[in-house]
Amino acid sequence: MDEATARAMIQAHFDASNVSTAGGGPGDDIVRASQIYAEDAVVEWPQGGERLRGKANIIGFRSTYPASQQFQLHRTTGCHNLWVNEYTIRYDDHPVMAVGIMEFRDGKVIRERIYFGEPWEPPAWRAQWVERFDPREPSSHRNRHVAQPTLVADQRQAP
């Protein structure tokens, strides 16, 4: 699949995935959001050990989800039949960051694995090696100077 087609399909999927109320409201189109999936698609959440098998189950799951959902796509990268999406889902206004890996076959998603992560406040001890950035910004990694670590003899720890 070419890049322009994949990006357009993924963007259309995320645009249609917003659900205004638990189970879907009058203006929501869960079926349209699910057009990206093959009939035998599998959606997996490895952290919970759960799997949805089949497009009908994906639609059924989304149609009965007990919260509103607002999706904000931050970054899409990939090529050919493998695409990775970084996004935020707001469940009843509670934001959760996610990464979804989509595998395509014949122009449809056959497998999607979604990983969720809560933000955390980084510890002060590593501040000299890292720079802070906004993970919601798609180009925050560009045009940045990469910090080089500076080791001081008394900071080293024995193995």
Side-chain angles (χ1 to χ4, degrees):
M1 174 179 334
D2 69 73
E3 181 177 352
T5 301
R7 287 182 182 280
M9 288 178 66
I10 291 166
Q11 186 64 58
H13 165 70
F14 278 94
D15 289 346
S17 290
N18 295 319
V19 178
S20 62
T21 188
D28 300 329
D29 196 346
I30 294 168
V31 172
R32 186 168 65 91
S34 302
Q35 287 177 345
I36 198 169
Y37 297 107
E39 292 300 321
D40 60 344
V42 173
V43 174
E44 298 174 326
W45 300 286
Q47 289 157 302
E50 296 178 291
R51 175 181 295 135
L52 289 170
R53 192 176 296 278
K55 186 175 184 174
N57 285 331
I58 295 168
I59 293 170
F61 171 83
R62 301 269 330 264
S63 297
T64 57
Y65 200 85
S68 67
Q69 300 168 66
Q70 297 298 312
F71 290 76
Q72 182 182 10
L73 182 61
H74 305 300
R75 183 172 186 240
T76 295
T77 188
C79 62
H80 307 295
N81 291 323
L82 187 64
W83 290 85
V84 178
N85 304 297
E86 298 175 33
Y87 52 98
T88 299
I89 308 173
R90 290 186 163 283
Y91 296 101
D92 287 338
D93 211 34
H94 174 74
V96 177
M97 295 181 71
V99 173
I101 303 167
M102 292 179 160
E103 297 175 44
F104 286 80
R105 180 186 66 219
D106 300 327
K108 297 284 186 180
V109 172
I110 59 166
R111 178 176 306 277
E112 182 177 25
R113 296 191 106 201
I114 304 171
Y115 298 87
F116 297 91
E118 294 286 338
W120 71 81
E121 191 60 36
W125 69 264
R126 60 185 182 210
Q128 70 183 22
W129 293 286
V130 301
E131 66 181 59
R132 298 297 303 269
F133 72 100
D134 185 344
R136 297 166 297 186
E137 295 296 322
S139 61
S140 61
H141 69 284
R142 294 185 186 140
N143 300 323
R144 302 280 184 172
H145 172 72
V146 177
Q148 297 298 316
T150 305
L151 291 179
V152 179
D154 63 354
Q155 289 180 326
R156 296 181 189 173
Q157 296 179 359

